[in-house]
Amino acid sequence: MKTKILCIMMLFTCFATHAKSLELRPLLKDRFEQNCAIRQQYDFHNEDTELIASLEHYTVDVKYVDKQVYDSTTYKLKNVTYAGIPIRKIEFSFGRPAQQYNEYLYFDLSATAAKQRFKTLKFNQNHEKGDVSVEYKNNTAIVQCYWLADFPK
């Protein structure tokens, strides 16, 4: 009986700890809604380009692609939101010919409330070396923020 109670308590603790979601807007609003080129380096990465722990805990799967003209790392996420809208994936890529950095957020717009919240977001950019684009595929909005590698410090 004590073993069962202990197991139930451990399961509850595990679910309670992982149930907390990560809200990205306070961390990424400056890049996605104001100036993509605000920081030269990728977000959520250390100086060795390794993913930092704060996002690692919310990563379900990782896909890395290394091609001649670009490389890309896509992280499938759980319990991650931006302005309360679920984020399915975040992607970081680098295009070699243009020397262009890219960050993508994949917004899950399958719920009506998510669609309404997404419409209120303003992805404005006012910088000559960076820009943002929005693409829609089924119930997903893909927001790409890109900037050139020669951004002066």
Side-chain angles (χ1 to χ4, degrees), residues 13-68:
T13 305
C14 289
F15 285 115
T17 349
H18 289 88
K20 186 179 179 194
S21 66
L22 174 65
E23 174 57 51
L24 295 180
R25 193 172 194 196
L27 306 168
L28 298 179
K29 182 177 181 177
D30 59 348
R31 183 177 304 277
F32 281 87
E33 296 181 53
Q34 295 163 1
N35 178 3
C36 277
I38 194 148
R39 291 177 294 284
Q40 182 63 42
Q41 76 281 5
Y42 291 122
D43 295 299
F44 300 109
H45 288 76
N46 63 20
E47 61 277 351
D48 298 323
T49 68
E50 296 295 323
L51 191 66
I52 60 173
S54 60
L55 189 63
E56 201 172 69
H57 295 298
Y58 297 93
T59 302
V60 176
D61 191 25
V62 180
K63 179 182 177 188
Y64 179 72
V65 176
D66 188 6
K67 301 280 187 183
Q68 186 175 356

Side-chain angles (χ1 to χ4, degrees), residues 56-109:
E56 201 172 69
H57 295 298
Y58 297 93
T59 302
V60 176
D61 191 25
V62 180
K63 179 182 177 188
Y64 179 72
V65 176
D66 188 6
K67 301 280 187 183
Q68 186 175 356
V69 293
Y70 74 94
D71 62 37
S72 169
T73 307
T74 306
Y75 300 93
K76 187 176 177 183
L77 304 172
K78 64 176 180 185
N79 296 329
V80 177
T81 61
Y82 187 100
I85 305 164
I87 299 293
R88 289 181 181 165
K89 298 186 277 189
I90 188 168
E91 179 180 346
F92 304 93
S93 68
F94 182 75
R96 291 185 183 85
Q99 297 294 292
Q100 177 178 302
Y101 290 92
N102 304 280
E103 282 190 27
Y104 300 82
L105 292 176
Y106 292 75
F107 288 82
D108 180 357
L109 302 181

